Structure formats: C-alpha cells, structure tokens
Amino acid sequence: MSGFLNSIRGQSSASAKTSMFKTIKNAISTPEVRKKLFYTLILIVVFRFGCYITVPGVNSIALNDAMGDTNGIAGLIDMISGGAFSRFSVFAMSISPYITASIVIQLLAMIIPSLERLTKEGGEEGRKKINRYTKLLTVVLALVEGTGIYLSYKSSGIFVDNTFLTGFLVVTGLVAGTALLMWLGEQITSKGIGNGISLLIFIGIISRLPSGITTLWNIILPQAGFSTTGLLTAIGIVIGALILVAGVVFVQQAERRVPVQYSKKVVGRKMVGAQNTHIPLKLAMAGVMPVIFASSFMTFPAMIIQIFVSDIANQTGFLAGLYKFSIATSSSSVGIGYSIANALVYLLLIIGFTFFYTYATFNPAEVSNNIKKNGGFIPGIRAGKPTTEYLSSIISKLTWFGGLFLSLIAILPMLLRFTNLNIAFGGTSILIVVGVALETVQQLESQLAMRHYKGFLE
C-alpha cells in the first residue's frame, strides 16, 4: 500500500503551471476571450438580479418573519440559490431540478439500452435528444418541487391569499425561474466561459461569503465586546478553511499515471516508431458528483413527505422520524441521534456512489481492449485480462481514497454542528467552489491556447 501511495503525487497539469492571475490577465487582454468573459458576467448579473425579484402572490411583509430562519431542505436550497429561497424569488428553487433530472437521466442511461445507445453512439444528435429529455424532466420535477414548496408554506401566511389563482401564480413563477436559469446556464456554456450550470451554483455559494465574514466578525466582537477566545477561534477557522481548500486542490489535481508503450507499426507507407505515453487516472475521478447524488438521495424522502403532510417537523411518528432523519444532513434542529445515523448513511452513500460513478465513466475492460487493439501494453503487465485486472486494482484503490476523502469533507458541517459555530460554508460548498474555479481557469487557458494557435496559423 505504501508503494501505491508513493506513486500518487500531485501532478501539476498544463493549466496549473501558469498562475491563475496571469491567466486572467491574458484573458482580459485577448479580445475574443474578453468578449466571452463580459458575456458571462452579464448573465451572472442577470442571475443575481433575479434572486431579488419576489414571486407574484407573496406578501413581502409576512415573508421576512416566516423566512427568517431557513433550515433543513430550505436551508440547503437557500445555500445553492445564493439566498434566493429565503427571499422567495423567482430563482428560489435554483437549478436543483435540473441537477436532479441530469442525475436521473444518467442513471436511466445505464439501465435502459436505448438511452445507453443514445449516450454512447448517438453522436451530436444523440446528445441533443438526451438534452431534450433532461429539459422535459427538469420542468416536471420543477413543477412537483414548486407545488411542494407552495403547499409547505401555504399555512405560514406569506401569500396574499390561499386561492387557486395565487397558488398557480406562485408555482408558475418558480417553474419559470428554474427554466430561465437552465437557459442562462446553456448560454454561458455555449457563448461564455466555463460550465454554465456549475458557474450558477458557484456564484450562488460565494454570494454567501459576506454572511461568513459577518459570522467571523461576530465571533471576534460579540455584543459583550472584544473576545480573545473569539479571535483565536476565528483565526483557527480561517486556517482550517485554507488547509481544507489546499487539500481539495491537491486531490482534484493529483493523478496516478499508468505508463503505456506502443510498439512500431506501419501507417500507410511509413513506419511509426514506438511511443511511450501514459493513462492519467485522477485521484478523485468522480469529482463532487457522488456528494450531489448522496445529498439528493438523502433529502428526497423529506421533499416528498412535506408535500403530503403539513407541519411535519412538529409531529411525531414514523413519517416525522423519517423526515428528521432525511433533513439531518442540512439541519441543526434535529436530535443528535438523527444526526449520527444520517452521517453514517450519508458516508456509506457517498462511497457507494463514488464507486458507481467512477466505474460508469471509466471501464477498465474497454480501456484494456483499446490498448491491445492499438498494439500497446503496460510495462510488466500482459495484454488482455491481466491489464484489465491491473487497471481495476488501481481504480479500486483510487476510488476508496477518493470516496473517503469526499465523505470526510461532506460531513464536516455535521461535525461543526455539535459546536456553537454557525459557518456559512460547508465542506460540500468548498468542494464545488474549488472544483468549478479550477475547471473555469482550465477552460480559460484552453481558449487562450486555441486563440494563440489560430493566430499563429493565420
């Protein structure tokens, strides 16, 4: 095992060698890339502006009292939406229905042969059909979630009345907001910089940064005056966050390079010499997807229960217990027993989904066959089944490490819950923010490289 760990090192990719600030400077000085950055910035401003537009039919005065403390599912949605849920804006549901729809379509593609063929062999037309199915499912899920939110807050007095017309306006406004966010994300992806959906989540999370700074300030300067203990606590939180970010960056960038050698072969009339290359296997190949999968799986029962049972949080019985267990991932109001049980199940789900997603995106047998067909081999390993077993062994060890790392990061907020600290950022938030930031910088550098080669050829 020690030899395996020694073979894993934080490999700096081509995108990591250039500093982030230099990349941004070069991007701003390049007209085409600057135009894409400006376009992305405009759509982000539209997103943030929409977070402050209240859904029709909402009583703004009663809203401040009813939504003063978002917890449970509401707190989770509010974090992703950048505070839009607590304002009951048109973007209150954020892009979560689209994420859930994407996960469902990916899972169905592994079960339904026709969808699997569209994904793997459909080409551009297949991707368009899959995208169309995802959008349709997004609207359906948004309709269900919007109806559930309306029914959950119907008795709270935040709506002008409880008529059918008001409910129709509220649900329609929420669904329309999610559809608009889905469109904004697509526009950013196609005409801007970065993955649009990921950037919207990224912006929503970092918009909570002022809240986190305020929390640290209140720890240092509580109502009683300056606190030395609070200062030390705040410094410890900042140092811990920096260490956590550094660890996430290291794991995101680290990779195991499996060497591959190709023998000489004839291509046309030329003899192509032997080539030495490698297969880069990421330490966290699944990224943050297992955490998102596990969170959606854990919170789904609570989302369904609160649609059919009003005021479930203040009730007792099996459904109330299942609801409290389900929201323990994102709520501090449940008991310690629910939190511990939820943390254990959450950890197992993350590890399970890490294995599931990794093997769904990387097939050792397929990679082994491709190496064999092209006349390649891994030094010291025979082609065919031994190569498949060797790659499977490496992937298994990498996945265990990645799954445990993701689990540790994801349950950190649940551990902090047993203290008096109320931190705006959790481990999942840091994972998403760091991952999206690295991906966006890599895309920026790709755009700059393409622009450079294009100018050189011209």
Side-chain angles (χ1 to χ4, degrees):
M1 187 68 179
S2 60
F4 171 75
L5 290 176
N6 288 332
S7 67
I8 300 175
R9 58 187 185 275
Q11 302 286 353
S12 296
S13 63
S15 61
K17 292 179 181 177
T18 306
S19 68
M20 182 182 296
F21 296 106
K22 186 177 180 181
T23 300
I24 296 174
K25 180 182 177 182
N26 293 337
I28 294 175
S29 61
T30 305
E32 291 183 8
V33 180
R34 183 172 65 243
K35 183 179 179 180
K36 290 186 176 184
L37 283 173
F38 185 67
Y39 183 80
T40 303
L41 180 61
I42 289 177
L43 295 187
I44 288 174
V45 171
V46 171
F47 164 58
R48 289 305 300 160
F49 182 74
C51 291
Y52 291 88
I53 300 177
T54 308
V55 171
V58 173
N59 186 337
S60 300
I61 298 176
L63 180 66
N64 293 328
D65 298 329
M67 305 292 285
D69 182 24
T70 51
N71 217 334
I73 302 299
L76 185 63
I77 299 176
D78 195 51
M79 179 197 72
I80 296 176
S81 64
F85 186 86
S86 58
R87 304 182 192 98
F88 225 102
S89 81
V90 291
F91 294 157
M93 293 192 301
S94 185
I95 205 69
S96 57
Y98 180 83
I99 296 173
T100 305
S102 300
I103 293 171
V104 171
I105 293 296
Q106 287 186 38
L107 294 177
L108 289 177
M110 300 172 189
I111 301 172
I112 303 176
S114 58
L115 282 178
E116 185 178 7
R117 285 194 297 271
L118 277 178
T119 304
K120 295 183 177 180
E121 304 170 4
E124 184 64 27
E125 191 63 29
R127 283 192 291 271
K128 288 181 180 179
K129 287 185 178 180
I130 292 293
N131 192 28
R132 193 179 305 125
Y133 296 152
T134 304
K135 289 179 181 178
L136 290 174
L137 185 57
T138 298
V139 173
V140 173
L141 292 177
L143 185 61
V144 173
E145 188 174 338
T147 304
I149 291 174
Y150 171 72
L151 294 177
S152 299
Y153 288 93
K154 185 177 180 180
S155 60
S156 63
I158 67 173
F159 304 119
V160 292
D161 53 51
N162 292 330
T163 62
F164 172 80
L165 180 59
T166 300
F168 177 78
L169 287 174
V170 170
V171 174
T172 303
L174 292 174
V175 174
T178 297
L180 179 57
L181 280 182
M182 185 168 57
W183 180 82
L184 289 176
E186 285 188 341
Q187 295 305 305
I188 292 174
T189 302
S190 60
K191 300 179 182 179
I193 297 292
N195 183 294
I197 302 300
S198 299
L199 272 178
L200 292 178
I201 299 174
F202 173 85
I203 296 299
I205 292 175
I206 64 171
S207 67
R208 304 292 296 271
L209 186 60
S211 174
I213 295 174
T214 303
T215 300
L216 289 178
W217 185 258
N218 291 334
I219 292 175
I220 299 173
L221 287 174
Q223 294 180 351
F226 177 78
S227 172
T228 305
T229 303
L231 176 62
L232 295 176
T233 303
I235 293 174
I237 292 173
V238 172
I239 294 175
L242 292 175
I243 293 174
L244 187 60
V245 169
V248 172
V249 172
F250 175 82
V251 173
Q252 291 277 4
Q253 296 293 95
E255 61 184 29
R256 168 73 186 273
R257 295 184 174 181
V258 180
V260 179
Q261 292 182 2
Y262 290 95
S263 57
K264 293 182 179 181
K265 59 180 180 179
V266 178
V267 179
R269 295 182 178 181
K270 295 182 179 180
M271 175 71 73
V272 179
Q275 294 180 348
N276 294 330
T277 183
H278 65 271
I279 303 173
L281 300 177
K282 289 288 186 181
L283 192 57
M285 192 176 298
V288 75
M289 290 305 297
V291 179
I292 297 175
F293 279 20
S295 298
S296 301
F297 191 88
M298 290 295 294
T299 56
F300 183 75
M303 198 171 294
I304 297 299
I305 291 172
Q306 68 181 3
I307 292 177
F308 299 100
V309 184
S310 60
D311 198 27
I312 185 65
N314 298 321
Q315 296 185 18
T316 57
F318 173 76
L319 288 179
L322 180 60
Y323 175 81
K324 292 177 182 178
F325 168 79
S326 183
I327 67 171
T329 304
S330 54
S331 174
S332 57
S333 60
V334 299
I336 186 173
Y338 289 110
S339 296
I340 294 175
N342 182 282
L344 291 175
V345 175
Y346 192 39
L347 186 146
L348 293 175
L349 281 174
I350 291 175
I351 294 176
F353 278 124
T354 302
F355 273 92
F356 176 80
Y357 195 81
T358 299
Y359 280 97
T361 55
F362 184 89
N363 189 336
E366 185 177 340
V367 174
S368 174
N369 290 333
N370 290 334
I371 294 174
K372 186 177 180 180
K373 287 179 182 178
N374 290 283
F377 64 94
I378 297 175
I381 307 296
R382 298 174 65 180
K385 188 177 179 180
T387 300
T388 302
E389 293 175 349
Y390 178 72
L391 291 176
S392 298
S393 174
I394 294 176
I395 289 295
S396 177
K397 294 172 183 177
L398 289 173
T399 305
W400 270 113
F401 183 89
L404 290 173
F405 176 80
L406 289 176
S407 302
L408 177 63
I409 298 297
I411 64 174
L412 274 179
M414 304 180 74
L415 298 177
L416 289 175
R417 196 173 299 151
F418 297 109
T419 67
N420 295 325
L421 300 176
N422 182 22
I423 306 301
F425 286 90
T428 306
S429 302
I430 292 177
L431 276 172
I432 295 174
V433 168
V434 172
V436 174
L438 289 174
E439 179 186 0
T440 304
V441 171
Q442 289 174 0
Q443 289 203 20
L444 267 177
E445 293 181 345
S446 299
Q447 293 281 345
L448 291 172
M450 289 174 60
R451 179 71 180 86
H452 173 75
Y453 290 130
K454 182 179 179 182
F456 177 76
L457 291 173
E458 290 176 351

